[in-house]
Amino acid sequence: MVLSKRVARFNRVATNQVLRHVAGWAPGFAMVVHKGRKSGREFRTPVNVFRTKDGFVVALTYGPGADWVKNVLAAGGCTLVTRRENIHVHGAELVHDDSRQAMPVPIRQILGLLDVNDFLLLKRE
């Protein structure tokens, strides 16, 4: 059970408007800067992000069908703005992992309750 479309709409209208002010510098958050597949417009999407040994992992709480995920996959990468640093990432890869091994232990438990098993892996350049 990934988060519902109703929650996604609320977050897009309300929560993301608040998070866009802190996602670029707050620990555990990042702003994903990506281009639309059709429009070519630049978009900024706040996400929870966790470091891995060679890049980052994002839990796809709305599933792999979210527009920002499709945009990043189509482009093969994006820019993450995290801790006031612009980091270009590439090699965007969707991973389905029921054990959630790429996540820190407390986050695994929360994602387990939400039945989130899809992740986006991004490699640092």
Side-chain angles (χ1 to χ4, degrees), residues 5 37 60 62-70 73 94 118:
K5 298 260 187 216
R37 299 178 308 287
L60 301 179
Y62 298 109
D67 282 334
W68 74 267
V69 176
K70 291 178 183 178
L73 288 169
L94 268 181
D118 293 307

Side-chain angles (χ1 to χ4, degrees), residues 48-115:
N48 283 110
V49 66
F50 300 92
R51 291 184 186 269
T52 64
K53 70 176 187 185
D54 60 349
F56 299 89
V57 62
V58 179
L60 301 179
T61 53
Y62 298 109
D67 282 334
W68 74 267
V69 176
K70 291 178 183 178
N71 291 343
V72 171
L73 288 169
C78 61
T79 299
L80 291 179
V81 181
T82 183
R83 300 212 166 180
R84 294 187 174 97
E85 181 182 1
N86 290 343
I87 302 169
H88 299 286
V89 292
H90 64 94
E93 179 184 357
L94 268 181
V95 174
H96 183 86
D97 179 13
D98 292 328
S99 66
R100 303 166 197 82
Q101 287 301 309
M103 295 283 121
V105 173
I107 303 301
R108 273 185 224 159
Q109 295 169 344
I110 294 167
L111 293 175
L113 292 172
L114 297 172
D115 199 28

Side-chain angles (χ1 to χ4, degrees), residues 10 34-35 39-40 43 49 66 76 91 96 117 121 125:
F10 174 79
H34 55 98
K35 294 216 184 262
S39 69
F43 293 96
V49 66
H96 183 86
N117 302 312
L121 299 178
E125 290 188 346

